[in-house]
Amino acid sequence: MKIAVDAMGGDFAPEDVIRGSVIGAREYGAGLILVGPETRIKQEMAQWDTSGLDIEIVHTAEYLVEGEAPAYALRTKRNASIALAVKLVKEGRADAVMSNGPTGGVITAALMHLGTLEGISRPVAAGDFCGLTPRTVMLDIGGNMDCRPDQLLDFAVVGTVYARKLLNIPNPKIALLNVGVEEGKGNTACKEAYPLLKQSGLNFIGNIEGQDIATGKANVIVCDGFTGNAVVKYCEGLGRTIADWLAVELKNDLPQTRIQEISRKLLSQMIKADNTGGGPFWAVNGLILKCHGRARYPEIALTVGNAKRYVDLDIINAQKKELEAVRSRMRKTNKEDY
Amino acid sequence: MKIAVDAMGGDFAPEDVIRGSVIGAREYGAGLILVGPETRIKQEMAQWDTSGLDIEIVHTAEYLVEGEAPAYALRTKRNASIALAVKLVKEGRADAVMSNGPTGGVITAALMHLGTLEGISRPVAAGDFCGLTPRTVMLDIGGNMDCRPDQLLDFAVVGTVYARKLLNIPNPKIALLNVGVEEGKGNTACKEAYPLLKQSGLNFIGNIEGQDIATGKANVIVCDGFTGNAVVKYCEGLGRTIADWLAVELKNDLPQTRIQEISRKLLSQMIKADNTGGGPFWAVNGLILKCHGRARYPEIALTVGNAKRYVDLDIINAQKKELEAVRSRMRKTNKEDY
């Protein structure tokens, strides 16, 4: 099991990337291929105990920086660290790639060298984003803006795999986020997605409204990436607002230290992303994990663990199988091509 | 000052509608025109002290019921209570109309007899929906699904009037809800709405992301009604989830009664709609307030107070003036028609 690491991605590269990767490699039993300037990488590696670890280096002097136009940058820097790292997965030399470089660059490299799963146009962003509802994943949460009905169906398929593999729910309940529960409600995409979801053979329970996002009624909540992004980030912001409100409300009830502890707990539930490491772009034809640019070494170590887990769970093939199963059912019930 | 009341709208009509209207009329000093079956209305009125109140009755035996197709129902029941009540505003006999009948029927009656403000295609739903952020109104929150860029601009205009008149903010800050702060981010409607908002002469502060909905950064948050609806209802649902979480977390810190009090306070902040009475459909060419179908008499009394307040604030003319001002500025900076 080898993970290709873009050693030059993120605000604290290569220092934190290498430190975190080395910790993660030991902790989770993963091999590493570090991609970046060899001398610089060796210099960082020398500071940590790498004895007995399976670590290769692939040398390149080129890498992307924040603010570049991704497609242009990748065409002019053919040997950018992220490009070489992604190619290692394409060539079968690595099982997964991870980066905390610029999102646009990472996605573009993934699309150039790995592509998406058949019939899917762009990577899908998915997340069990709120610790208060640990058995619910929402998607898309920012990868796809104006969505067609068939994309919403694809999200349901990917979400089913996510819930089954990562949340251990054998037959996840799928719901369409909407403004009312009845069929026929909502925007154009929802109105047309509803019958597709009904025919899909997935465990579709119908529409849910916003008040049920946090109740656990559905295990997979399907929506366009604009709405999903708003909801996920709203949860984060609201966490801070409620923590502030609670601090005032509890001021005369409890000691400051206990209030701070409650705030911290609430925030860690509502802003989950910061302490669980990076996750994959779903629906890409290869395993690619992205951690945010400001990630420090503990998060990078966690991301190594996540990559290892996704490889072990055979996430890509599970998505391919589920997509094919749904499409074959749709072809049978529906004369039109799907 | 007279308010036309659809006496037959809602789950508890006419009992609670009449009781609440009578209480509201006395409390807020409003005249009433009760529209519905005269004998039935008199029977209910006889139970409450109406001495000295200015109450007229307009008789009709017809009214809408939940589940009817609104346009068809209103064509076949020409004298439906909601239709007659709306016409009283059209004819200048009443200053506002209120109903807790079926939403579709109320909106259709408003569109048939009052229409929308010039250049606006559908009523707009707006709300300062969260007590934790009392200086923020969001719109649209459910009236308009697939929105064009110029509709998002209209929402900004209506929101400006809302914030100025109802939240007492002289120069409200307008933001566009988006997935990133930079211009050019988001779905097609947002990308095209951004330059319109910049040219509008409104106090446009740019995009905000979901995490800033609850921080008070903007006084008016503009978004399509699908996303707005999800966010507003999510706030409601999350309130319940967090109250449950807190009850467990504080179990060993505080007595049950105090925990219940904190829960109640939090919920009343996060589910504001239930205790503030009905609000208007914005951008309609006449004042029409809708309360939800399950509203009981205290909420109906509050809705009378709201109607009185909106009449006093001259909400309709303020919207007309602001719309005309923005359009005139757009015509100057922009050769295209707006």
Side-chain angles (χ1 to χ4, degrees), chain B residues 99-119:
Chain B
S99 174
N100 33 340
T103 308
V106 177
I107 288 184
T108 306
L111 290 177
M112 281 170 94
H113 302 298
L114 296 171
T116 43
L117 298 180
E118 207 194 318

Side-chain angles (χ1 to χ4, degrees), chain A residues 83-336:
Chain A
L84 296 192
V86 168
K87 278 192 209 165
L88 291 172
V89 174
K90 169 85 175 174
E91 292 158 5
R93 287 175 58 196
D95 302 284
V97 49
M98 53 183 268
S99 174
N100 33 338
T103 308
V106 177
I107 288 184
T108 306
L111 290 177
M112 279 171 95
H113 301 298
L114 295 170
T116 43
L117 297 180
E118 206 193 320
I120 291 191
S121 43
R122 283 185 57 79
V124 177
D128 49 313
F129 64 100
C130 182
L132 298 171
T133 44
R135 286 170 62 81
T136 300
V137 55
M138 192 158 182
L139 70 175
D140 186 80
I141 57 172
N144 297 270
M145 295 291 106
D146 299 284
C147 291
R148 299 183 313 270
D150 60 290
Q151 286 182 287
L152 295 174
L153 175 56
D154 289 338
F155 300 164
V157 176
V158 172
T160 296
V161 174
Y162 189 118
R164 203 179 283 148
K165 292 280 189 174
L166 297 177
L167 311 179
N168 294 313
I169 301 166
N171 189 24
K173 290 176 284 180
I174 317 289
L176 182 63
L177 181 62
N178 210 327
V179 298
V181 291
E182 307 85 357
E183 180 167 0
K185 287 271 182 184
N187 56 21
T188 312
C190 282
K191 285 179 187 169
E192 294 179 18
Y194 193 104
L196 294 181
L197 287 161
K198 255 191 350 189
Q199 292 161 26
S200 67
L202 297 169
N203 186 11
F204 178 55
I205 61 165
N207 292 330
I208 59 163
E209 297 176 69
Q211 65 267 37
D212 276 321
I213 295 174
T215 56
K217 204 174 199 173
N219 304 119
V220 176
I221 298 175
V222 169
C223 62
D224 68 86
F226 186 87
T227 307
N229 192 270
V231 165
V232 168
K233 290 179 176 169
Y234 183 50
C235 181
E236 231 182 276
L238 207 50
R240 293 204 177 84
T241 304
I242 294 171
D244 290 347
W245 179 86
L246 262 182
V248 175
E249 183 63 30
L250 295 173
K251 200 175 55 198
N252 300 322
D253 291 301
L254 296 172
Q256 271 307 308
T257 48
R258 175 69 182 125
I259 293 176
Q260 279 161 9
E261 187 194 22
I262 293 168
S263 279
R264 248 195 324 272
K265 276 193 188 178
L266 181 65
L267 288 177
S268 78
Q269 299 287 329
M270 295 182 77
I271 314 175
K272 213 187 142 193
D274 277 355
N275 38 44
T276 50
F281 293 114
W282 291 80
V284 172
N285 193 15
L287 198 45
I288 176 158
L289 287 90
K290 168 80 173 78
C291 209
H292 52 79
R294 64 178 191 282
R296 305 305 301 247
Y297 73 87
E299 264 188 85
I300 290 161
L302 285 171
T303 308
V304 172
N306 291 344
K308 171 82 164 56
R309 186 168 171 220
Y310 295 131
V311 171
D312 291 347
L313 289 170
D314 200 13
I315 286 287
I316 306 295
N317 280 320
Q319 289 177 81
K320 284 183 185 169
K321 270 188 210 155
E322 195 70 43
L323 277 166
E324 188 37 46
V326 166
R327 282 172 187 157
S328 130
R329 282 195 295 267
M330 300 292 283
R331 271 184 230 110
K332 275 180 207 157
T333 54
N334 210 320
K335 296 287 174 240
E336 296 165 55

Side-chain angles (χ1 to χ4, degrees), chain A residues 9-29:
Chain A
D11 304 347
F12 305 101
E15 299 84 346
D16 279 57
V17 176
I18 289 166
R19 184 176 179 186
S21 300
V22 167
I23 296 173
R26 189 171 304 283
E27 178 91 14
Y28 303 103

Side-chain angles (χ1 to χ4, degrees), chain B residues 186-262:
Chain B
N187 57 20
T188 312
C190 282
K191 284 179 188 168
E192 294 180 17
Y194 193 104
L196 294 181
L197 287 161
K198 254 192 349 189
Q199 292 161 26
S200 67
L202 297 170
N203 186 11
F204 179 55
I205 61 166
N207 292 330
I208 60 164
E209 298 177 69
Q211 66 267 37
D212 276 321
I213 295 174
T215 56
K217 204 176 201 173
N219 304 118
V220 177
I221 298 175
V222 169
C223 61
D224 68 86
F226 185 87
T227 307
N229 192 270
V231 164
V232 168
K233 290 178 175 167
Y234 182 49
C235 181
E236 231 181 276
L238 206 50
R240 293 204 177 82
T241 305
I242 293 171
D244 290 347
W245 179 86
L246 263 181
V248 175
E249 181 65 29
L250 295 172
K251 201 175 55 200
N252 300 322
D253 291 301
L254 296 171
Q256 270 306 307
T257 49
R258 176 70 181 126
I259 292 176
Q260 279 162 8
E261 188 193 21
I262 294 168

Side-chain angles (χ1 to χ4, degrees), chain B residues 13 26 39 68 100-101 104 147 196 200 240 323 334-335:
Chain B
R26 189 172 302 284
T39 335
E68 286 179 305
N100 33 340
C147 291
L196 294 181
S200 67
R240 293 204 177 82
L323 278 166
N334 210 318
K335 297 290 173 234

Side-chain angles (χ1 to χ4, degrees), chain B residues 262-295:
Chain B
I262 294 168
S263 280
R264 249 196 323 273
K265 277 193 188 178
L266 181 65
L267 287 177
S268 79
Q269 300 286 330
M270 295 183 75
I271 314 176
K272 213 188 141 193
D274 277 356
N275 39 43
T276 52
F281 293 115
W282 292 81
V284 172
N285 193 14
L287 199 45
I288 178 157
L289 286 90
K290 169 79 174 75
C291 210
H292 52 79
R294 65 180 190 282

